[in-house]
Amino acid sequence: MNDGNFFRSPKRMLGTTNAAELGLLYFATAFINLLIAGTYALLIRTELWTPDPIYFDTAKDYNVAFTIHGTGMIFLVVVPLGAGFGNYLVPKMVAADNNDMYWPKWNNVAFWMLPIASVFIWFSQAPIGWTAYPPLSILMPGVDMWIVGLVFAGTSSSIGAINFVLTIWKGRAPYVKWMSMDLFVWGTLFTSFLVIIATPVLTAALVMILLDRNFNTVFFSESLSNPILYQHVFWFYSHPAVYIMVLPAFGLISTVIAKFSRTQVFGYSSMVIAMAGIAILSVSVWAHHMYTTGIDPFVRIFFTSMTFVIAIPSGIKVFNWLTTMYAGRIKLRAPMLFALAFIVMFTMGGITGVYINIIALDLNLHDTYWVVGHFHFIVAAGTLVAMFASFYYYFPEITGKMYDEKMAKLHFWFWFGGNFITFVAFQVLGMEGMPRRYYTYPEEFQLWHQIATIGAYLMGISIIFMAISIHRGLKSEKLESLDDPFELGSGYDYPEPFADYIKREHGEDLVIEHKLSIWAPAGAFSLVLPFLGLLAFTEGGPFARGKALESFSGSLGGNIFIVLFLVYLGFFFQKESSAHIGELNPVDKYREGERHWEIWVFLASEVIFFTAVIGVSQAIKWNSLTWPDTNDVLSVPYTAVLTFVLIISSFTMATSLEHVKNGDMEKFKKYLLFTIILGLVFLTGQIIEYAQLAGEGDVTLADNATYPLFSSIFYLQTGFHGLHVLVGVLFLGFVYLRARKGGYSKDNHTYVELIGLYWHFVDLVWIILFTVVYLI
Amino acid sequence: MRKNSKYKLTLLGSLFTLLMGIQLVSGRSNLSDSYDRLFNIVTWISIVVLLFVSVLMARFVLKYREEVEGARSPIGHTMAKKLEAGWTALAIFIILVLMAVSYPTLSDLDDTVAAGTGEKLIIEGTANWEWVFHVQNSTGGVDVIRPVVDSNNVKTTTMTLEVNKEYNFIFWASGSWIHSFFVPDLNIKMDVNPGTNNSISLTILEPGNYVVLCAEFCGAGHSQMRGVIIVE
Amino acid sequence: MDNSIHSGLSDLGGNYMSKIEINEDTEHNMFGIYKNTFLALTIMTIVEVAASYLPDGAYVTVILLLLAVAKAALVGAVFMHIKYDKTPWLLTLSVFVVPLAAGSILIFNVWKDWRGVAGA
Ligand code: HEM
Ligand SMILES: [Cu+2]
Ligand SMILES: [Cu+2]
């Protein structure tokens, strides 16, 4: 399918909106990132050959290395690989009506956020561990940049996830039935749900760290609040994150095993139910990472029980994979070898996981190499191995050529052997009591450390074989036919493409172009500007720790970035608001679009974001003995007026939409303008309120605030809401511009509906906030 | 070549099961017995599960690889349904067994760990990555024991405790780092949190030297903050 | 005042889907509904502000929370058209209830596992 020129044309690489091509870009990015993160791994293992310094001169350099290694492998390698396979496979597997993802342009944006995230994370040099626990992460350098990188990565996967859900839900061809989809589609669907539910919470946690570092808030202060709060919020995201990584791998591996055994997947429905069960349960097991924190006994027993329960579906899946091979005719090509390794390694990972869920054992094993071994079995020897298996399996389809089997087998044996040696050594070290994240260690651990290092080098070497295998494959002759490159008796068998179906049924030629969009990547890159602006406000240059407040107006760099961003935004609005007016998507008429899931899915993630932000604030409040009476420190009548303003704006928005539905364009534009003006009034009102509060000195983020904790949660909640209003006003402005150019009509006003729903939602949030922040 | 590869797989599988049996000498506190018992039970269950999975896999690979001629009789529809249910039941059963063996130790743990009884002993983790022990001496006062620093900048704090005596360890972070008090040979670890103090009650049953490590990543000096508890 | 609005709403909600294609005066009705909703929201806000000046107590808090939920529900049902959706419950469940439930697990545990006492 790939004509070979794609990687030679920067313009196409930048602007492509074709999911299959974006899939390739994901693979390429993930591979580069794998090399970088892998190099860090080898440096770490080299350092640990003896207790004395070998490569890293200081402990701090070493700490940077494992932070970058861990963050990189998780967010820049394994998660993107899942997205890459999703892009490449899902539109085909569901015979998507446009032969692409639901939102091709956003898909491009989601991808380009990833290289941006990578650059931020690689260069951040934060020495905090991928878990970034405060107070450490509040006091160390480099963390601001690291957080910005993670927010980009998180946003990228959130956009991707919404896109996957829509593609599977709405873009799926009517003749592709739920229970006949490839299991990978199910895996991607559940992963996407988890991303949508969990990522906003991570964003909240990271932003709170950022605020604590730079804006004098005290969310995780040990004297006023509670640093352990962060651990809950963080793991609420990060435990689901491990399943976000592994669910697509489950799907991929099912296919590979069935194909190379020449059988059908055994227990299809129990596989789907198991994945659903894992997805649902995975948001209530996070505190198994916190057994040694002196956790509340009730919380502890709840989480140990839930964690046991979630192991059940994983077990069922292993048994089903085994049974899939029964009575097959197994062909041991490289993909199958990797798949077999996956089963064994995943089982080991599961077993070692059970140990640390038993609290009496975890009190010994927590934060030792046992845990490191456990998750490497599951992620490096499990998930990544599943990705290798599928990569080789789909290689002929992607390139039209066959990879080099001998080198691929060498890759397999070195990787598998290296995994085994290293991670078993990790488990033994853990049993002996070797803590993780150690720059130097007591001498008696040296033997097993050296064994682990040898295994790590085997893994490093295996990647060279992989590169050779790919290289030789690309040099080789094109295959004559891609129907069945592995001679398995069946090929990739995707459902019939939608366009063919339409041709047959309706006799119409659906011409689907994958347009280039330069504005989509440009949009993604432009988002770097405000973040660089933010970073520039931190003391001591862009990337160090500091108190932004003091230098707020003084940072020249920051202001330049922000002005640049605003200029860009104006330009962008001007351009985009007149683009493609009146053009219709050829597949639109075949879509039964009775409901705008695209915005509702997004709103679901907003609901959990605000639940986290408001809920955490409330939990802080319930646990404090002294709390100011809001009537004394805030002006309720003033904000009541602001509330009123927002309520009117919801009314005008609804009216405006009703007018466009009726085709009354003048009134539509008039009421839209009212809405924008009311939004601006609200924002201005809030700024005036902030300024007044800062003047009074009770509710402020200055050092001498009377109520620092109250102020922190006050600005967190109202600030995030204000930001949403701002974004809403910007989008409304865009829609207004487009409306003036005649972009909407009685039959074509989807975007007005979308922005309307968003706007009402922001109003709804304010209604809740007004009560919990100001009134109670 | 093919023939070899699957033997390698089985071989590696059994190797790991052997390694899982490795157990270091440990267990010299009131917690150790239940720890050892539990660890052994779980290890045996794990060995059985792992052997089951790897043997089944190796068997299928041997028996059903394409080189082996002969008819295959796939699982029939009703049998498949039963098997699916059977696998589910098996997975549930394994987990129920694990729950059954692990829950009783939870209350043991609470009885000993959270009791709050015994002679007070303050374990301080400092901002400077060192353990400081506040131990009651015979005259009723408190000795504050600070670390000795060696040439590699390893900081070792040494205190002497009595055998068979119950101590109430109180963990206090005097700086802004979270540490974790970890004594591998006593199978115990507890976080040292800034802001709030955890505590455990522990009786050490055998004389000897016990190494103290920090298990929660706390920054630059994390791997160098060590301690020794001499029990006599 | 609530009663009249509510009966008006449910009256229209039931037949909205069928009406919108054929019935001309739906248009008129929708604007009326929005206006009534807006009025209800305004009145409830005034009640809220007044209630917040009552001496603190559990019952005031409960009233305030109920009012907030009622207002939010009104915005969701009318302005966001959930009420007029084909399957309002599916929408409410998947977009609001599930994320709220997941978030509540977090909040409950954060509260339950709080260490020490927070400041102000
Ligand atoms: C299915 C895929 C799984 C993945 C991807 C996974 C991944 C991880 C990761 C990354 C960690 C380390 C977090 C850290 O401390 O930095 C971890 C820890 C843990 N895992 Fe898993 N795990 C999986 C399955 C399981 C299973 C089946 C269990 C138990 C039945 C389990 C129980 C645990 C526990 C209790 C910890 C906390 C250990 C500690 O910090 O003391 N995991 N897991
Ligand atoms: Cu977890
Ligand atoms: Cu430490």
Side-chain angles (χ1 to χ4, degrees):
Chain A
M1 58 115 311
N2 177 24
D3 55 18
N5 290 327
F6 176 61
F7 282 104
R8 292 209 194 94
S9 157
K11 193 169 156 215
R12 270 181 69 193
M13 275 163 60
L14 264 179
T16 180
T17 58
N18 180 346
E21 289 177 351
L22 283 166
L24 298 186
L25 286 177
Y26 271 108
F27 290 145
T29 312
F31 191 72
I32 294 170
N33 284 338
L34 177 70
L35 294 183
I36 300 175
T39 308
Y40 271 111
L42 291 183
L43 292 179
I44 293 170
R45 287 316 317 166
T46 309
E47 178 58 53
L48 295 176
W49 184 257
T50 66
D52 301 318
I54 294 181
Y55 182 83
F56 296 106
D57 294 333
T58 64
K60 208 198 125 208
D61 294 344
Y62 175 82
N63 297 348
V64 169
F66 69 68
T67 306
I68 301 295
H69 162 72
T71 322
M73 282 294 188
I74 292 170
F75 294 99
L76 307 179
V77 177
V78 178
V79 174
L81 275 175
F85 279 110
N87 269 284
Y88 190 77
L89 294 174
V90 167
K92 286 191 192 122
M93 286 176 169
V94 302
D97 51 13
N98 54 354
N99 194 18
D100 206 331
M101 296 280 276
Y102 192 80
W103 277 334
K105 263 193 198 175
W106 279 105
N107 202 24
N108 175 301
V109 174
F111 168 74
W112 280 108
M113 287 187 148
L114 188 68
I116 298 172
S118 310
V119 170
F120 274 112
I121 289 174
W122 296 137
F123 285 98
S124 72
Q125 302 293 303
I128 50 177
W130 82 277
T131 49
Y133 282 8
L136 194 71
S137 55
I138 293 175
L139 299 165
M140 285 289 141
V143 181
D144 298 315
M145 193 165 169
W146 183 85
I147 289 176
V148 169
L150 276 192
V151 170
F152 268 99
T155 311
S156 158
S157 66
S158 293
I159 299 174
I162 296 179
N163 222 343
F164 282 128
V165 171
L166 294 171
T167 309
I168 298 168
W169 212 281
K170 287 188 80 175
R172 199 179 74 243
Y175 49 87
V176 177
K177 299 287 174 243
W178 282 113
M179 292 311 265
S180 67
M181 296 189 313
D182 193 291
L183 280 173
F184 175 66
V185 180
W186 281 109
T188 305
L189 184 66
F190 290 130
T191 284
S192 304
F193 283 143
L194 280 181
V195 169
I196 291 165
I197 287 284
T199 312
V201 181
L202 175 72
T203 310
L206 293 177
V207 169
M208 279 152 88
I209 294 268
L210 200 71
L211 295 175
D212 269 9
R213 290 170 63 79
N214 299 304
F215 293 91
N216 249 339
T217 56
V218 289
F219 300 113
F220 305 125
S221 142
E222 65 258 35
S223 53
L224 289 162
S225 182
N226 173 6
I228 291 155
L229 167 62
Y230 171 86
Q231 301 181 16
H232 279 294
V233 185
F234 174 80
W235 286 115
F236 181 87
Y237 165 79
S238 284
H239 184 85
V242 307
Y243 289 100
I244 288 169
M245 292 188 274
V246 88
L247 283 173
F250 283 170
L252 291 171
I253 219 70
S254 298
T255 306
V256 171
I257 291 175
K259 283 285 170 197
F260 284 83
S261 306
R262 299 172 167 115
T263 55
Q264 299 294 314
V265 174
F266 179 82
Y268 182 92
S269 49
S270 62
M271 289 297 220
V272 175
I273 295 169
M275 284 199 260
I278 288 174
I280 293 167
L281 290 171
S282 70
V283 293
S284 50
V285 296
W286 76 85
H288 63 217
H289 299 271
M290 298 169 61
Y291 291 145
T292 63
T293 58
I295 195 165
D296 176 87
F298 173 81
V299 174
R300 194 180 59 178
I301 189 132
F302 173 74
F303 281 97
T304 184
S305 306
M306 292 306 278
T307 307
F308 274 131
V309 174
I310 205 176
I312 294 172
S314 310
I316 294 173
K317 293 192 79 79
V318 170
F319 295 143
N320 282 347
W321 285 319
L322 286 176
T323 320
T324 300
M325 300 198 295
Y326 183 84
R329 294 171 45 74
I330 298 168
K331 187 166 192 139
L332 287 176
R333 292 286 300 265
M336 186 60 174
L337 289 178
F338 276 109
L340 294 177
F342 172 85
I343 299 180
V344 180
M345 297 306 211
F346 183 74
T347 308
M348 303 246 238
I351 287 171
T352 50
V354 165
Y355 279 78
I356 37 188
N357 185 43
I358 296 174
I359 290 152
L361 301 185
D362 190 57
L363 289 190
N364 193 18
L365 298 173
H366 172 71
D367 265 348
T368 65
Y369 268 67
W370 182 280
V371 175
V372 183
H374 159 66
F375 65 77
H376 277 88
F377 267 125
I378 284 184
V379 182
T383 310
L384 207 51
V385 158
M387 304 287 179
F388 285 149
S390 307
F391 180 74
Y392 284 121
Y393 177 55
Y394 291 104
F395 188 88
E397 201 206 2
I398 297 173
T399 61
K401 300 172 181 178
M402 181 54 85
Y403 64 86
D404 184 288
E405 181 70 24
K406 209 161 129 205
M407 285 296 146
K409 285 216 166 107
L410 276 175
H411 171 205
F412 168 75
W413 283 112
F414 273 79
W415 182 264
F416 179 68
N419 281 177
F420 201 87
I421 294 169
T422 307
F423 305 148
V424 167
F426 282 1
Q427 306 294 159
V428 175
L429 280 169
M431 274 194 295
E432 289 181 359
M434 169 74 207
R436 65 198 284 204
R437 296 170 173 167
Y438 262 31
Y439 169 56
T440 174
Y441 50 84
E443 235 142 65
E444 66 259 29
F445 296 121
Q446 188 168 359
L447 175 65
W448 286 101
H449 268 305
Q450 294 188 338
I451 292 174
T453 302
I454 292 170
Y457 273 92
L458 293 182
M459 285 185 249
I461 293 168
S462 83
I463 298 297
I464 300 175
F465 293 128
M466 181 186 184
I468 299 178
S469 174
I470 297 174
H471 181 74
R472 287 196 185 163
L474 292 176
K475 285 260 140 117
S476 68
E477 291 292 306
K478 273 228 185 282
L479 295 172
E480 310 228 306
S481 148
L482 295 179
D483 291 343
D484 185 10
F486 291 94
E487 292 159 13
L488 299 170
S490 71
Y492 299 110
D493 48 43
Y494 302 114
E496 178 185 26
F498 190 71
D500 294 5
Y501 164 81
I502 291 296
K503 174 98 184 139
R504 190 157 47 73
E505 292 288 311
H506 302 263
E508 187 194 343
D509 275 311
L510 264 189
V511 185
I512 292 159
E513 290 176 75
H514 300 286
K515 297 195 191 94
L516 283 194
S517 163
I518 291 308
W519 286 101
F525 286 118
S526 75
L527 285 180
V528 173
L529 292 169
F531 281 103
L532 281 179
L534 178 76
L535 290 177
F537 279 128
T538 57
E539 182 189 316
F543 313 127
R545 154 192 154 68
K547 302 259 180 248
L549 231 46
E550 286 136 36
S551 54
F552 205 84
S553 52
S555 168
L556 186 63
N559 287 318
I560 290 176
F561 285 130
I562 287 182
V563 167
L564 274 179
F565 178 64
L566 291 179
V567 170
Y568 173 84
L569 210 62
F571 196 57
F572 176 81
F573 273 25
Q574 195 53 37
K575 270 282 198 233
E576 272 296 287
S577 62
S578 40
H580 313 300
I581 284 185
E583 251 178 62
L584 282 179
N585 189 339
V587 298
D588 270 355
K589 64 167 175 266
Y590 297 109
R591 286 186 172 160
E592 325 151 358
E594 86 287 346
R595 192 187 288 123
H596 297 299
W597 274 119
E598 47 270 63
I599 189 80
W600 288 111
V601 176
F602 173 71
L603 289 184
S605 83
E606 292 279 63
V607 171
I608 193 147
F609 176 78
F610 277 107
T611 310
V613 166
I614 299 175
V616 164
S617 303
Q618 293 307 301
I620 290 176
K621 180 176 162 183
W622 297 329
N623 283 293
S624 71
L625 289 180
T626 53
W627 202 250
D629 186 340
T630 46
N631 275 325
D632 300 341
V633 290
L634 302 169
S635 167
V636 174
Y638 180 79
T639 32
V641 173
L642 289 184
T643 310
F644 183 62
V645 168
L646 267 197
I647 292 175
I648 313 178
S649 80
S650 250
F651 169 71
T652 55
M653 185 68 230
T655 310
S656 160
L657 178 63
E658 209 54 34
H659 280 303
V660 73
K661 278 183 182 166
N662 295 331
D664 186 344
M665 301 316 286
E666 280 320 303
K667 284 203 176 135
F668 154 60
K669 280 182 269 183
K670 195 173 88 187
Y671 277 98
L672 200 59
L673 191 61
F674 282 158
T675 314
I676 296 175
I677 293 172
L678 288 166
L680 288 174
V681 169
F682 178 86
L683 282 175
T684 318
Q686 212 170 26
I687 291 171
I688 294 174
E689 183 197 12
Y690 281 9
Q692 236 160 23
L693 288 174
E696 286 163 13
D698 281 340
V699 182
T700 146
L701 295 177
D703 282 330
N704 52 0
T706 322
Y707 303 113
L709 195 54
F710 176 84
S711 310
S712 300
I713 69 162
F714 171 80
Y715 286 107
L716 181 75
Q717 298 175 91
T718 57
F720 263 131
H721 177 265
L723 216 56
H724 278 75
V725 177
L726 182 64
V727 171
V729 167
L730 285 176
F731 270 101
L732 280 173
F734 179 77
V735 169
Y736 182 69
L737 271 182
R738 212 169 148 84
R740 286 187 38 160
K741 293 175 181 166
Y744 304 104
S745 66
K746 190 172 171 166
D747 311 308
N748 176 11
H749 51 258
T750 311
Y751 278 93
V752 187
E753 283 187 49
L754 300 189
I755 181 65
L757 284 170
Y758 177 83
W759 189 257
H760 298 310
F761 175 77
V762 172
D763 183 23
L764 188 155
V765 170
W766 179 257
I767 286 174
I768 304 286
L769 272 187
F770 179 56
T771 300
V772 297
V773 174
Y774 290 89
L775 297 180
I776 293 182
Chain B
M1 147 86 207
R2 285 254 161 69
K3 215 159 186 185
N4 268 337
S5 47
K6 71 227 158 202
Y7 286 123
K8 273 183 224 158
L9 269 183
T10 4
L11 199 77
L12 288 175
S14 26
L15 202 75
F16 177 68
T17 35
L18 270 180
L19 283 171
M20 297 286 280
I22 295 184
Q23 268 258 29
L24 284 203
V25 255
S26 75
R28 272 160 285 193
S29 79
N30 52 343
L31 287 179
S32 312
D33 280 351
S34 68
Y35 179 89
D36 286 351
R37 196 162 358 95
L38 205 54
F39 197 99
N40 284 332
I41 295 173
V42 179
T43 302
W44 280 115
I45 297 175
S46 301
I47 290 176
V48 172
V49 172
L50 195 68
L51 274 181
F52 179 73
V53 170
S54 28
V55 168
L56 209 60
M57 193 175 103
R59 224 184 115 69
F60 286 171
V61 172
L62 282 177
K63 202 164 156 202
Y64 299 124
R65 70 190 198 285
E66 60 181 353
E67 288 85 354
V68 178
E69 301 296 326
R72 314 279 203 257
S73 51
I75 308 170
H77 185 71
T78 37
M79 187 57 204
K81 283 281 156 239
K82 276 188 203 156
L83 197 57
E84 224 178 313
W87 286 143
T88 310
L90 179 61
I92 294 178
F93 173 74
I94 296 171
I95 294 302
L96 284 179
V97 171
L98 286 164
M99 284 173 145
V101 296
S102 79
Y103 282 158
T105 55
L106 210 56
S107 56
D108 288 356
L109 207 67
D110 280 346
D111 290 347
T112 44
V113 165
T117 50
E119 186 176 300
K120 265 207 176 77
L121 183 61
I122 293 176
I123 309 286
E124 177 190 351
T126 70
N128 215 9
W129 300 288
E130 51 202 9
W131 294 115
V132 175
F133 299 142
H134 303 249
V135 190
Q136 297 193 4
N137 58 26
S138 47
T139 61
V142 174
D143 291 336
V144 177
I145 309 171
R146 295 185 179 281
V148 179
V149 185
D150 77 3
S151 57
N152 290 326
N153 209 21
V154 170
K155 300 167 182 165
T156 311
T157 318
T158 308
M159 69 175 162
T160 309
L161 298 183
E162 283 172 46
V163 70
N164 286 330
K165 175 167 173 181
E166 188 179 36
Y167 287 94
N168 184 15
F169 291 67
I170 297 171
F171 303 111
W172 171 46
S174 56
S176 274
W177 315 132
I178 304 177
H179 303 285
S180 191
F181 179 79
F182 178 29
V183 190
D185 288 342
L186 298 177
N187 310 314
I188 189 72
K189 162 182 310 116
M190 189 55 68
D191 286 4
V192 183
N193 291 322
T196 47
N197 298 340
N198 285 325
S199 84
I200 57 177
S201 294
L202 203 64
T203 309
I204 303 174
L205 304 176
E206 262 176 51
N209 287 3
Y210 295 85
V211 174
V212 177
L213 300 166
C214 176
E216 180 62 55
F217 177 55
C218 54
H222 174 48
S223 63
Q224 283 139 323
M225 57 188 289
R226 313 249 177 100
V228 177
I229 305 176
I230 301 171
V231 177
E232 8 185 78
Chain C
M1 49 114 212
D2 266 357
N3 267 349
S4 63
I5 293 170
H6 278 296
S7 56
L9 286 181
S10 53
D11 180 0
L12 199 109
N15 324 338
Y16 174 75
M17 292 311 285
S18 53
K19 261 186 192 173
I20 186 141
E21 275 93 23
I22 39 165
N23 199 333
E24 284 293 289
D25 51 59
T26 318
E27 175 192 335
H28 172 76
N29 274 344
M30 264 340 259
F31 291 123
I33 297 277
Y34 292 156
K35 219 165 275 168
N36 288 346
T37 311
F38 165 67
L39 275 179
L41 289 172
T42 310
I43 293 168
M44 284 198 261
T45 308
I46 295 171
V47 175
E48 275 179 347
V49 174
S52 77
Y53 283 95
L54 294 175
D56 278 355
Y59 71 98
V60 181
T61 310
V62 171
I63 290 174
L64 286 174
L65 282 176
L66 284 179
L67 277 171
V69 172
K71 283 167 70 186
L74 213 50
V75 171
V78 180
F79 286 152
M80 297 174 83
H81 283 213
I82 294 180
K83 192 175 160 59
Y84 311 119
D85 194 273
K86 233 174 33 188
T87 49
W89 284 112
L90 178 69
L91 205 57
T92 317
L93 200 73
S94 52
V95 177
F96 292 95
V97 178
V98 169
L100 264 172
S104 307
I105 307 176
L106 172 66
I107 303 314
F108 172 78
N109 285 288
V110 163
W111 165 75
K112 182 87 179 122
D113 188 37
W114 193 270
R115 316 299 165 78
V117 171

